[in-house]
């Protein structure tokens, strides 16, 4: 059962908010990123990913049946019009109270901005080595084609870069720029902002890592 609380003040016209989610212990979440499978749709073997979908039913989080990810080329020029298949999130992760707290925190904003009660959770690790940078957003400055997007930082280890930017238009300067630190959640209206995260570089001989959950409301599914 989710711990319900009153939604925070969030002006959907202003359309973005950054907060530190102090109630979530990110150390509980970190181990689940070590077992992410490689993203088979990108070359370079620097991104690892899982995806699951959930519905909020009253005060309960219900995992939905497996579905593929789909975006049109209008939103994703790199992988648009491709029905992508990703493994589901680990069951042990889904059962963690700290994981469920993050979904509920994001869903509070969904309640204010969209009639949808479904949340897609993308679990993503981007790595970098001394020979290769990692690119969290290889499609460039983009929208996702949903109502609301959230990015929750779980871990940054031995990297520099990875700044998240929000733009009112692709040609303009960012309206928001920040490296998201572990425990920070950025939520924004997808129809109000384009978004992008810059590449990450390793700052030590060992590989560096950037671990995040990306939430969308609703999910992105192939056409029937």
């Amino acid at each position: 059962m989710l711990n319900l609380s009153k939604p925070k003040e969030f002006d959907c016209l202003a359309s973005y908010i950054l907060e530190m989610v102090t109630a979530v212990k990110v150390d509980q979440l970190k181990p689940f990123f070590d077992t992410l499978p490689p993203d088979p749709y990108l070359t370079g073997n620097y991104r690892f990913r899982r995806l699951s979908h959930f519905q909020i039913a009253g005060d309960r989080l219900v995992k939905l049946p497996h579905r593929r990810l789909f975006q049109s080329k209008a939103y994703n020029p790199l992988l648009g019009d491709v029905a992508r298949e990703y493994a589901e999130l680990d069951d042990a992760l889904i059962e963690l109270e700290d994981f469920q707290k993050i979904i509920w925190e994001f869903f509070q904003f969904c309640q204010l901005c969209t009639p949808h009660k479904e949340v897609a959770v993308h679990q993503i690790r981007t790595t970098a080595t001394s020979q290769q940078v990692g690119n969290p957003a290889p499609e460039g400055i983009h929208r996702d084609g949903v109502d609301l997007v959230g990015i929750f930082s779980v871990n940054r280890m031995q990297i520099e870069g990875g700044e998240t930017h929000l733009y009112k238009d692709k040609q303009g300067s960012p309206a928001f720029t920040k490296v998201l630190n572990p425990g920070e959640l950025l939520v924004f209206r997808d129809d109000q902002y384009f978004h992008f995260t810059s590449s990450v570089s390793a700052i030590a001989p060992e590989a560096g890592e950037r671990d995040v959950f990306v939430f969308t409301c609703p999910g992105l599914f192939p056409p029937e």
Side-chain angles (χ1 to χ4, degrees):
M1 181 178 293
L2 296 171
N3 183 17
L4 303 185
S5 59
K6 183 180 178 180
K8 295 177 174 60
E9 291 297 324
F10 179 55
D11 183 354
C12 284
L13 296 178
S15 60
Y16 80 81
I17 190 168
L18 175 71
E19 64 174 10
M20 174 63 75
V21 187
T22 57
V24 171
K25 304 178 186 68
V26 293
D27 286 346
Q28 300 290 318
L29 308 171
K30 291 177 183 179
F32 294 97
F33 285 82
D34 294 333
T35 57
L36 286 178
D39 187 329
Y41 301 96
L42 293 175
T43 59
N45 205 38
Y46 65 84
R47 192 162 77 172
F48 303 80
R49 189 168 188 163
R50 291 182 186 268
L51 168 65
S52 289
H53 298 86
F54 300 88
Q55 185 176 57
I56 311 300
D59 60 355
R60 295 190 179 275
L61 182 69
V62 179
K63 186 174 181 295
L64 296 173
H66 177 79
R67 296 191 74 172
R68 293 175 294 170
L69 170 66
F70 184 86
Q71 293 172 291
S72 73
K73 280 193 174 292
Y75 290 104
N76 190 326
L78 180 65
L79 292 170
D81 296 340
V82 176
R84 287 179 276 169
E85 188 82 41
Y86 293 109
E88 297 283 329
L89 272 60
D90 192 303
D91 288 340
L93 170 64
I94 294 170
E95 293 170 2
L96 279 181
E97 183 180 358
D98 286 290
F99 173 73
Q100 295 187 21
K101 283 179 180 177
I102 308 168
I103 296 182
W104 180 250
E105 190 69 19
F106 175 68
F107 184 69
Q108 290 186 84
F109 300 109
C110 298
Q111 290 183 99
L112 301 174
C113 301
T114 172
H116 295 287
K117 296 185 180 297
E118 173 206 294
V119 173
V121 181
H122 305 253
Q123 183 186 9
I124 303 172
R125 165 171 284 181
T126 306
T127 62
T129 66
S130 57
Q131 289 78 40
Q132 183 179 36
V133 300
N135 193 347
E139 64 270 57
I141 300 171
H142 66 285
R143 287 188 170 122
D144 285 341
V146 295
D147 291 346
L148 214 63
V149 178
I151 306 172
F152 180 80
S153 174
V154 174
N155 193 28
R156 288 176 56 91
M157 187 177 74
Q158 312 219 95
I159 58 169
E160 60 183 5
E163 284 188 333
T164 296
H165 307 280
L166 300 180
Y167 301 83
K168 277 295 188 180
D169 61 78
K170 285 187 176 183
Q171 287 71 42
S173 299
F176 171 91
T177 297
K178 191 180 187 303
V179 170
L180 299 181
N181 295 307
E184 288 186 322
L185 172 66
L186 174 66
V187 180
F188 56 92
R189 278 280 301 273
D190 188 61
D191 64 353
Q192 295 290 320
Y193 290 98
F194 295 91
H195 61 281
F196 175 71
T197 298
S198 64
S199 61
V200 297
S201 302
I203 57 174
E206 300 83 9
E209 301 163 352
R210 177 182 183 264
D211 296 338
V212 300
F213 290 111
V214 175
F215 306 101
T216 67
C217 184
L220 294 159
F221 305 127
E224 297 297 335

